[in-house]
Amino acid sequence: MKDQLQRLVQEAEQAAAATDRLADLTQLKAQYLGKKGQLTAMLKQISSLPVDQRPQMGQLVNEIKQTIAECFQARQQQLEQQVLQAQLDKERLDVTLPGLGGESGSLHPVTLISERIQQLFHSMGFVTADGPEIEDDFHNFTALNIPEHHPAREMQDTFYCENDLLLRAHTSSVQIRTMLNNKPPFRVIAPGRVYRCDSDRTHSPMFHQVEGLLIDKGVTFAHLKGLLQDFFNRFFEADVTLRFRPSYFPFTEPSAEVDIRSDLLAGEKWLEVMGCGMVHPNVLCNVGIDPDEYSGFAFGLGIDRMAMLRYHIPDLRLLFENDVRFLKQF
Amino acid sequence: MIVSFNWLQRFFERPLESPEVVAETLTLAGLEVDQVKPALADFSGVIVAEIQEVYQHPSADRLNVCKVFDGNSVVDVVCGGVNVRAGLKIAFATVGAVLPGDFRIKKAKLRGVESNGMICAAEELGLPPDPGAHVIMELAQDAPVGNDFRQYYGDDTLLEVDLTPNRGDCASMLGMARELAAIKQWSFNPVVCEAQADSSSKTIDVSVEDAACPRYFARVLTNINREAVTPLWLRLCIERAGIRSIHPVVDVLNYVMLELGQPMHGFDLAKLAGKVTVRAAKAGESLKLLDGNVIELSGDDKVIADQNGPLALAGIMGGLDSSVTELTDSVLLESAFFEPSAIAVGQRRYHLHTDSAYRYARGVDPALAEQALQRASELLLTIVGGELGPVIQAANTAVAPLQVNLPKTLPTQLLGYAFSDEQVVTLLQNAGFTIASQADHWQVTVPSYRFDITQAVDLVEEVARLYGYQNIPAAPMPAPTRLLPVSESVVKPIRIKQLLSDRGYCETVSYSFVDAKLQQQLAPEAKVVSLINPIAKERAVMRTQLWPGLLEAAQHNLRRRQLDFKLFEIAHVYHVQDDQSIKEPTHLAGLVTGKLLPTQWNGHNPAAGFFQVKQDVEAVLALNRRGGWQWRVESHSVLHPGQSAALYHQDQLVGYLGALHPALQQELGLDQSVVLFEFDMSYLTHSRVPYFEPVSKFPTVRRDLALLVDRSVSVGDMQAHLLATLGENLHKVEIFDVYQGDKLEKNQKSIGFSLIFSSSSHTLIEEEVSRLSEQALAALTDRFQATLREG
C-alpha cells in the first residue's frame, strides 16, 4: 500500500504537469482528492488494516494527500498566471495613439482679458456694473460735462441712431448710471462694447473698454497713481514703468494719459494704454454728489489693446474675424 | 499743430535743447508730440548755383548743356529740364552729392558730353513742387550762389503736436513759446506788434450787429504791388505748417495766424458793395465758399456781408467771389474775435475744419485782434507795399478778465501731495496767472488766452501739470473695509462660457451692427435700430439676435476650409419696444457644423446633429439647478421645420434650437448643414442655492416598456405625461430605444421606455411595481393611443 501511495504521488504529479487548462486541472484534482477520488478510496482501505498499522498508515495517507494537494495548488497558480499573462498580452494597447473624443474649445481673448482685469479689481473691492450700449446724449455726453457744442464731441466720431440716441462712445456712461442710482462710496468696474466711426489696423468701429470708478472721501491723484501702478504690475506679472501725461477729458480734472513701458512689451517704446483722471466736480454735481465731501477718480482702459499687448496680437481686426485658427489659440 | 524748431528758437535768447528734448518736455506737460521729423529730406552736397549759359546738346535734341557757376568755378552740366535758361538760380547737386534714396551724383558722360553734377527738380530733393510747377526748381534771384542749399532753404526740424481741444491757446508759435517758457520757468521774447501809421485816409463803413462778435477790427490796404511774390522764408513757414502758399496777402495773413494764433481774412476791396456788416445770416441766403461749394445758410450762422449779401462765413471760411486774386490791388483786412460756440456750431454743421474755425472754436485771445492787424500791416507793407488806411474799430467790447478763487488747501487735497504756498504761486505766475493772496484762498486772474481755466479744479490741474505728474509720488490706495457680496443663486456668464468652451466651443465676438438684408432674412418681423452714419453699408442696423454674427463667422471659416467647428457668443441684442424704447437683453447663441469631433482613429465620428447640440444646451440649462424647462415642437422661419424646438421656462419663451433651414443655408452659401441655438440669458443665469434632499434608502426597480405610437407623437410629451400621472413613485423615465422603419407600419414608431420606480418609505414589492407599470401603460394608451410592441 505504501508503494501504491508513492506511485499515486508520481502519477498525480505527472498528470498535473500534463494538464494545460484550469478546468481540466480542477477535474483531475477531484480524481485524486475528491470524495470519490483515489486517495479517499485508499483512506477507506485503512480500516481493513491491522489496528497497530492504522495510525501509521493514516498519517502517511494524509501526508500524501497534502503533497498531492500542494502539487495541484502549484500547478493551478502556474496556470492562472499563464491565463492572466495571456489576457494582458491580448489587452496590450498602443498607448501612443491620441485620446478619443472631443477637444476643448476656447474663450475669446477679449473675455480672458476682461475677466483678468475684473478679477484684479475685485480684489480691491470693485464691483462689476453693466449699462446699455445704445445710449442717450445725456449719459454719453452732457452728464459727463461735454456740452452740446464742445469741441470734445469732435474727438470721438460717434455713431448716431434715430430718436436722438447714439452708440456709446465710451463706457464712461456707466459711471453716470451708477452714480445716479446709488450712494457713494463707489468702487465700480464696467467692461463693455463701445463704438466709434473709425476702422484700420489699430481702430475698429466696435471695441471694448473697461471703465473704473472710485469715489470716496479723501481720494487723491496720488491714490490713482498708486492703484494703476499696482494694476499694471499685476496684470503683466512684471515690473512695468508708468508715465502719467497730462491730457484732456471733459469729465476728469486733472486728466492724464497713461503710457507704459516694459522689457516684456515693446522695450524702450512708451505705449499709450489708458485715459484717467480725478472725476470733474461738474460731473459729481450732475449726479448729485457734493464735490466738497467726495472726490474720486475714473479710468478707461482698452480691453482689446490690452489683449493685443498681452498676447502679442499684431492686428486689432483679428479679434473680430472669428477665424477658428485664431480663436483656438486662447 | 506743426511747430518749426527754428521758429520756436527765435522766441528765446537761450539755445534750446535738442528737438527731442523739447518734444519730451512738451509731451510731459500735456502737449503730446506725435512726431519729430526733419523739414528737409536726407540729402547733402547740394548748393545754390547759377546757370550762366545754355547750349543745345550736340547729339541729343531734348538735352541742353549748361554752364553752371557754383561760386568758385564754372562746370558743364547736361540737363533735360525745359526751363533752364541763362541767369536762372538753381539747386545744384555737385559731384559727390547724395540725394534722397542714397542717390549719389558722379561725373558722367551723356551722349559724349561730360556732365559734372545735376540741376535739381523739387521732387528730387523731396520738396513739394515749386509754385510755378517748373521742371527745374527756380530759386529767387537773390539766392546766394555758392551757399549750401540746406542752409538757404531753411534746414529745420518739425514737431507735430497733437493739441487737446482745451488748448486752443497753444495753436500758434507764440502760444507754444509761452507754454515752453511756463514749463521751464524761462523768459521769452514776445512778438512785437508795432502800430503801423496810416498812409491814406481810405476807409470803409463796417458795423457789427451780432453779439457773437465782441471785437472786429479792419483796415484798408490800397495799391498793392501785384507783381509781389511771397518771400521764401515766409513761404517755408506756412508750407511746413501744412498751409498752401496762395497769394502774398493771404500768405501773410496765414503767417500771422501761425505766429500769433489770430485767424485773419482779406477781402478784395473792389468786390465789396456798400457797407460791410457782421450779422446773423438770414434764411434763404446762400454763399459760395472759397472751396467752390455753395452753402444754404441758416439763421444761426454768422456772416460778413455787404449790401448784396454774405461775403464770408464768419471765422470759418471766406467767400469765393470776394477773395483776393492776382488781379486784386486793394484789400480789406479783417481781424476779429468771435465767440467759440458760434463758430463751433457752423463748423460742425458744414464739416468745415479750417485752420481758422479750428482756432475760433477753441478760443482765440480777444486781446490779439488789434495786435494781429498791426502785425499783418507791417509785414504786408514790406512784402506787397501799398497805402494803409486807418484802423477801423467796428466793435471793441472790453472782455473782463476771469477771476477764479483757488482754496489754498485744494491742490494738496486733490493731488495727495503737500504743495507749499510758494510752489503753487510760482507755478501759476510762470504760466501768466496773476495772483492775489487772501486768508484761505488765492484770487487768481486768468490770462485772456486761457479759455480752459474756469474753476478752481482747473487751476489744480495746472499746478499738477506744471509741477509734473511724474513728480507727484504715488500712494497706495486704501483697501476696502467691507467684503463684497457674492451671490450663490446666479450663474455667472463666465461659468456658461467655460462650460461651452470645455465642451469644444470657441467663443466669438462679432459686430453689433449687421447687414440690414441679413437681419431682415433672419428676423423679418423684428423692428430694428438703424444707424444714421454707419461705418459701412453692411453694418447699418443693430442686430436683434446673435445669429447674423455666427453665420458670418461660419461663412468666413468655411471659405477658409475650416469645416468642423462649434462657436458661441454671449452679447447684447437690441430690441425696439412698442413704445419705441430700446431694451438690450443679453443673449447666448451657438452654431455647430461639420464633424462632431476631430478625426478619430477608431472611425467613430458622426456629423454634429440636433441631438448632440441639444446635449450641450441641456448642460448649460443644468447649471442653474432650477428645472422647469420645456422643449416644444415649434417652427421658426430660419430653422428646418422638422428639426427645430422652442425652449420654454414656465411658459416663457427662452429661445430656439434647430438646424438652419436648408433653403436659407443655400442662400447664405453654406455648403454644409448647421445647427443653431439662441437663448435669452436672463433665464439661464437665475439659479438657486442647493437644498439637500434625502437619498432613498430603498432600492430602485426598473421596468422596460416597448410601445408603438403614431410618428407624430412627441416622446417628450409622453415622458412628461408619465411623470405627471404616476406621482412620486416614478423616480425617472429613461428612453432606451427609438425605432421607425421597415419593421413597422409606415406611420408608426416604437419607443423603449425604462421606468425607474422607487419609494422613500419601503422597498417596493412585485405587486406594486406591476401595478405601477400597468398604470403607466394605461396612461400612455389613454393619451397617445400607445400599444405594447409585440416580440
Side-chain angles (χ1 to χ4, degrees):
Chain A
M1 191 171 173
K2 227 178 193 172
D3 295 346
Q4 213 180 334
L5 281 169
Q6 294 300 348
R7 266 202 316 278
L8 199 64
V9 170
Q10 274 177 18
E11 215 182 278
E13 279 173 355
Q14 281 165 8
T19 307
D20 288 337
R21 294 177 53 211
L22 270 170
D24 295 347
L25 190 71
T26 311
Q27 215 178 356
L28 194 67
K29 189 177 164 186
Q31 280 176 30
Y32 290 96
L33 303 176
K35 278 183 184 167
K36 292 179 180 168
Q38 298 188 40
L39 216 58
T40 314
M42 293 189 93
L43 210 56
K44 281 177 186 158
Q45 290 175 23
I46 291 176
S47 57
S48 60
L49 289 174
V51 175
D52 60 333
Q53 286 178 21
R54 285 184 199 170
Q56 198 191 346
M57 206 42 101
Q59 198 187 343
L60 184 66
V61 170
N62 275 329
E63 276 170 21
I64 293 295
K65 191 179 175 184
Q66 184 74 22
T67 309
I68 292 176
E70 278 168 13
C71 159
F72 276 99
Q73 181 68 25
R75 181 61 184 157
Q76 189 179 340
Q77 273 177 12
Q78 212 178 5
L79 286 181
E80 276 170 358
Q81 190 60 40
Q82 279 174 12
V83 167
L84 182 62
Q85 192 55 50
Q87 186 193 350
L88 291 179
D89 286 346
K90 196 175 138 202
E91 288 172 359
R92 179 176 295 277
L93 301 179
D94 178 355
V95 295
T96 63
L97 280 168
L100 288 169
E103 287 168 347
S104 286
S106 59
L107 296 181
H108 195 276
V110 164
T111 292
L112 295 177
I113 295 293
S114 171
E115 288 295 322
R116 180 168 176 76
I117 294 170
Q118 289 179 64
Q119 204 181 0
L120 286 167
F121 281 105
H122 288 169
S123 70
M124 273 301 275
F126 285 72
V127 292
T128 298
D130 191 14
E133 294 164 21
I134 300 180
E135 264 294 4
D136 53 29
D137 186 272
F138 174 77
H139 291 92
N140 193 69
F141 288 128
T142 310
L144 287 163
N145 199 34
I146 314 175
E148 202 183 337
H149 296 299
H150 203 284
R153 294 204 180 196
E154 282 178 45
M155 285 166 77
Q156 43 226 3
D157 288 337
T158 306
F159 287 109
Y160 288 93
C161 320
E162 307 102 332
N163 302 328
D164 290 327
L165 293 171
L166 47 83
L167 303 189
R168 67 177 178 194
H170 42 209
T171 38
S172 307
S173 51
V174 186
Q175 271 186 38
I176 301 301
R177 293 186 175 273
T178 303
M179 291 193 286
L180 281 173
N181 298 328
N182 301 282
K183 290 215 171 325
F186 299 112
R187 291 185 187 221
V188 174
I189 199 101
R193 296 176 174 215
V194 297
Y195 305 87
R196 291 181 202 173
C197 309
D198 219 346
S199 184
D200 60 35
R201 220 167 68 82
T202 52
H203 294 93
S204 165
M206 178 192 88
F207 58 104
H208 299 80
Q209 263 190 353
V210 56
E211 184 80 7
L213 174 73
L214 189 153
I215 304 281
D216 207 336
K217 291 175 181 170
V219 179
T220 70
F221 187 73
H223 289 137
L224 170 63
K225 284 187 76 172
L227 182 67
L228 293 182
Q229 177 69 65
D230 200 22
F231 166 72
F232 283 107
N233 286 350
R234 294 295 190 217
F235 181 87
F236 285 106
E237 300 177 85
D239 286 334
V240 176
T241 311
L242 263 62
R243 179 170 86 168
F244 286 77
R245 203 157 34 76
S247 188
Y248 170 68
F249 308 108
F251 36 96
T252 51
E253 189 88 0
S255 302
E257 294 267 6
V258 182
D259 301 338
I260 59 171
R261 191 161 74 174
S262 166
D263 296 340
L264 269 183
L265 303 168
E268 284 306 292
K269 238 177 92 192
W270 286 109
L271 303 165
E272 194 176 312
V273 287
M274 179 189 257
C276 64
M278 302 301 290
V279 177
H280 199 290
N282 292 0
V283 174
L284 293 176
C285 291
N286 286 343
V287 295
I289 295 174
D290 179 1
D292 291 331
E293 192 182 356
Y294 285 98
S295 61
F297 52 75
F299 53 85
L301 178 65
I303 296 177
D304 321 80
R305 174 108 175 101
M306 294 298 274
M308 289 170 78
L309 289 174
R310 179 78 171 157
Y311 304 134
H312 305 279
I313 300 168
D315 189 328
L316 178 63
R317 289 169 294 198
L318 286 169
L319 290 174
F320 309 120
E321 263 177 14
N322 298 317
D323 192 303
V324 291
R325 293 163 297 179
F326 171 82
L327 297 174
K328 280 187 175 163
Q329 295 180 29
F330 299 94
Chain B
M1 169 81 191
I2 295 171
V3 175
S4 148
F5 187 74
N6 290 350
W7 195 351
L8 187 65
Q9 174 67 72
R10 291 202 287 275
F11 286 86
F12 296 92
E13 299 298 336
R14 67 174 70 231
L16 296 178
E17 298 128 303
S18 70
E20 288 72 22
V21 172
V22 170
E24 168 96 356
T25 305
L26 292 172
T27 297
L28 287 178
L31 300 141
E32 187 183 4
V33 178
D34 278 344
Q35 213 187 355
V36 176
K37 60 177 185 199
L40 291 174
D42 194 12
F43 60 82
S44 64
V46 180
I47 60 165
V48 177
E50 182 177 0
I51 300 177
Q52 292 188 327
E53 287 174 68
V54 178
Y55 304 99
Q56 171 71 49
H57 190 290
S59 52
D61 287 353
R62 291 170 177 238
L63 293 178
N64 291 308
V65 183
C66 304
K67 296 262 179 223
V68 173
F69 177 57
D70 64 8
N72 286 319
S73 52
V74 175
V75 293
D76 282 345
V77 180
V78 176
C79 180
V82 289
N83 57 322
V84 290
R85 59 185 182 274
L88 183 65
K89 295 284 176 64
I90 52 164
F92 179 57
T94 55
V95 171
V98 182
L99 299 192
D102 202 26
F103 176 51
R104 288 164 190 278
I105 303 299
K106 294 175 195 143
K107 214 177 254 191
K109 254 197 182 156
L110 290 167
R111 300 262 190 124
V113 178
E114 191 163 274
S115 183
N116 301 284
M118 188 174 100
I119 302 175
C120 299
E123 292 81 354
E124 284 163 335
L125 298 176
L127 295 169
D130 81 323
H134 300 113
V135 177
I136 291 303
M137 193 176 177
E138 300 197 356
L139 305 186
Q141 273 314 300
D142 60 358
V145 172
N147 275 25
D148 184 74
F149 178 80
R150 293 190 76 95
Q151 204 185 353
Y152 165 72
Y153 214 75
D155 204 359
D156 199 355
T157 305
L158 304 178
L159 277 56
E160 211 178 300
V161 186
D162 186 8
L163 285 183
T164 51
N166 58 328
R167 295 308 302 275
D169 63 300
C170 290
S172 65
M173 292 307 302
L174 169 69
M176 280 291 170
R178 189 167 53 206
E179 183 67 16
L180 184 60
I183 303 162
K184 301 293 283 185
Q185 310 196 7
W186 290 342
S187 59
F188 75 105
N189 308 323
V191 179
V192 181
C193 305
E194 270 179 43
Q196 303 295 309
D198 331 342
S199 44
S200 89
S201 57
K202 180 77 180 161
T203 185
I204 187 169
D205 197 2
V206 183
S207 69
V208 173
E209 297 171 359
D210 198 294
C213 179
R215 287 190 175 195
Y216 195 96
F217 294 86
R219 193 172 208 178
V220 170
L221 177 65
T222 44
N223 296 324
I224 61 171
N225 171 14
R226 285 200 230 164
E227 307 301 316
V229 292
T230 304
L232 179 64
W233 66 268
L234 195 149
R235 180 157 68 83
L236 291 178
C237 281
I238 60 171
E239 278 182 352
R240 286 174 184 174
I243 298 175
R244 216 153 41 88
S245 171
I246 293 164
H247 180 282
V249 171
V250 178
D251 291 354
V252 165
L253 299 181
N254 279 330
Y255 175 84
V256 172
M257 176 183 74
L258 292 175
E259 185 180 45
L260 301 177
Q262 172 67 56
M264 296 181 71
H265 189 63
F267 298 92
D268 186 335
L269 193 65
K271 307 282 176 60
L272 307 185
K275 190 179 156 190
V276 170
T277 46
V278 181
R279 60 168 170 85
K282 295 168 195 160
E285 283 184 326
S286 65
L287 174 63
K288 191 185 216 178
L289 295 170
L290 270 176
D291 62 11
N293 289 325
V294 177
I295 54 170
E296 302 301 323
L297 295 163
S298 94
D300 6 307
D301 291 326
K302 312 299 173 194
V303 293
I304 320 299
D306 65 3
Q307 65 179 32
N308 295 333
L311 301 167
L313 188 57
I316 299 176
M317 193 182 265
L320 190 61
D321 297 336
S322 59
S323 65
V324 173
T325 68
E326 64 270 33
L327 302 174
T328 302
D329 61 10
S330 296
V331 291
L332 174 70
L333 306 172
E334 166 202 288
S335 184
F337 171 65
F338 298 105
E339 291 293 348
S341 57
I343 303 304
V345 174
Q347 182 188 22
R348 278 163 64 91
R349 178 177 302 133
Y350 300 111
H351 305 287
L352 290 170
H353 298 276
T354 60
D355 289 299
S356 170
Y358 174 89
R359 286 170 174 79
Y360 276 126
R362 284 161 175 73
V364 169
D365 182 358
L368 276 177
E370 192 172 6
Q371 292 172 36
L373 187 62
Q374 297 293 5
R375 176 69 175 145
S377 303
E378 178 193 351
L379 289 167
L380 285 169
L381 279 186
T382 335
I383 294 165
V384 299
E387 285 99 47
L388 276 171
V391 172
I392 305 161
Q393 285 194 19
N396 191 9
T397 315
V399 182
L402 182 68
Q403 299 212 321
V404 175
N405 287 342
L406 174 62
K408 289 184 176 175
T409 50
L410 195 62
T412 300
Q413 189 189 314
L414 274 185
L415 299 173
Y417 176 68
F419 283 96
S420 71
D421 286 4
E422 295 102 277
Q423 267 179 309
V424 173
V425 169
T426 310
L427 288 167
L428 291 177
Q429 279 175 341
N430 275 321
F433 296 88
T434 313
I435 296 183
S437 183
Q438 310 288 336
D440 59 348
H441 70 273
W442 291 290
Q443 196 179 58
V444 181
T445 307
V446 179
S448 58
Y449 48 84
R450 290 301 295 268
F451 286 77
D452 59 325
I453 308 287
T454 59
Q455 50 187 301
V457 68
D458 300 327
L459 291 167
V460 173
E461 179 180 68
E462 203 59 8
V463 168
R465 191 175 74 80
L466 294 167
Y467 183 67
Y469 283 5
Q470 71 277 20
N471 298 322
I472 297 174
M477 184 67 222
T481 51
R482 301 282 307 275
L483 296 177
L484 293 181
V486 180
S487 170
E488 210 179 344
S489 49
V490 292
V491 180
K492 287 191 191 153
I494 188 65
R495 178 70 185 92
I496 294 174
K497 289 182 179 187
Q498 271 157 349
L499 179 112
L500 287 169
S501 151
D502 292 348
R503 297 178 76 95
Y505 286 74
C506 291
E507 188 190 2
T508 64
V509 173
S510 48
Y511 289 115
S512 313
F513 18 62
V514 297
D515 190 357
K517 186 175 158 239
L518 183 60
Q519 167 65 35
Q520 166 75 21
Q521 273 175 314
L522 296 179
E525 306 290 305
K527 272 198 275 181
V528 294
V529 179
S530 304
L531 297 180
I532 292 167
N533 56 336
I535 194 89
K537 192 166 94 278
E538 312 76 46
R539 305 243 168 266
V541 299
M542 300 303 285
R543 58 188 178 183
T544 61
Q545 44 165 250
L546 299 178
W547 285 345
L550 290 171
L551 288 166
E552 272 186 48
Q555 287 172 329
H556 172 98
N557 283 294
L558 290 174
R559 274 199 296 269
R560 283 158 186 77
R561 306 305 299 156
Q562 301 297 308
L563 304 178
D564 313 309
F565 48 86
K566 298 170 157 187
L567 306 174
F568 78 96
E569 179 166 16
I570 291 180
H572 286 201
V573 294
Y574 314 89
H575 292 168
V576 182
Q577 308 296 298
D578 289 337
D579 64 354
Q580 298 305 310
S581 68
I582 293 163
K583 280 228 168 86
E584 290 184 32
T586 302
H587 276 197
L588 159 67
L591 180 151
V592 179
T593 191
K595 294 285 186 195
L596 194 61
L597 304 173
T599 307
Q600 302 284 304
W601 49 265
N602 67 355
H604 183 72
N605 191 6
F610 181 91
F611 291 108
Q612 282 91 5
V613 180
K614 190 177 184 192
Q615 195 200 7
D616 295 328
V617 172
E618 283 165 344
V620 171
L621 301 183
L623 283 177
N624 70 19
R625 308 190 191 104
R626 285 199 304 169
W629 304 105
Q630 201 192 354
W631 291 99
R632 293 189 192 164
V633 182
E634 223 169 83
S635 61
H636 183 289
S637 62
V638 169
L639 301 175
H640 188 304
Q643 296 183 15
S644 62
L647 177 67
Y648 281 80
H649 188 263
Q650 290 165 355
D651 288 330
Q652 298 287 313
L653 179 65
V654 180
Y656 289 89
L657 161 68
L660 179 63
H661 197 293
L664 192 54
Q665 179 196 321
Q666 200 181 4
E667 227 176 297
L668 295 173
L670 300 169
D671 295 339
Q672 56 191 53
S673 66
V674 158
V675 180
L676 294 166
F677 59 85
E678 177 149 3
F679 304 108
D680 184 334
M681 278 281 281
S682 63
Y683 294 94
L684 309 182
T685 51
H686 281 271
S687 180
R688 61 177 181 86
V689 180
Y691 196 106
F692 171 75
E693 282 173 37
V695 179
S696 172
K697 286 177 289 207
F698 306 100
T700 57
V701 183
R702 170 186 292 257
R703 281 288 183 280
D704 288 351
L705 274 181
L707 300 171
L708 291 175
V709 286
D710 190 84
R711 278 194 191 185
S712 64
V713 172
S714 299
V715 179
D717 291 348
M718 297 172 81
Q719 209 175 357
H721 187 59
L722 282 173
L723 286 166
T725 25
L726 267 77
E728 59 164 359
N729 284 341
L730 180 60
H731 177 63
K732 202 173 172 189
V733 180
E734 290 175 351
I735 296 125
F736 66 84
D737 180 50
V738 176
Y739 175 79
Q740 49 192 32
D742 298 345
K743 292 182 198 157
L744 299 177
E745 279 178 40
K746 206 174 150 211
N747 290 326
Q748 276 187 325
K749 64 180 171 185
S750 140
I751 317 291
F753 287 106
S754 278
L755 308 177
I756 296 157
F757 299 108
S758 73
S759 161
S760 56
S761 56
H762 63 285
T763 301
L764 292 172
I765 56 167
E766 181 56 36
E767 289 85 74
E768 284 176 296
V769 174
S770 300
R771 189 167 41 77
L772 285 165
S773 298
E774 276 157 29
Q775 269 178 24
L777 178 61
L780 296 178
T781 308
D782 238 34
R783 177 79 174 265
F784 303 103
Q785 289 77 49
T787 51
L788 270 179
R789 188 178 177 185
E790 307 294 333

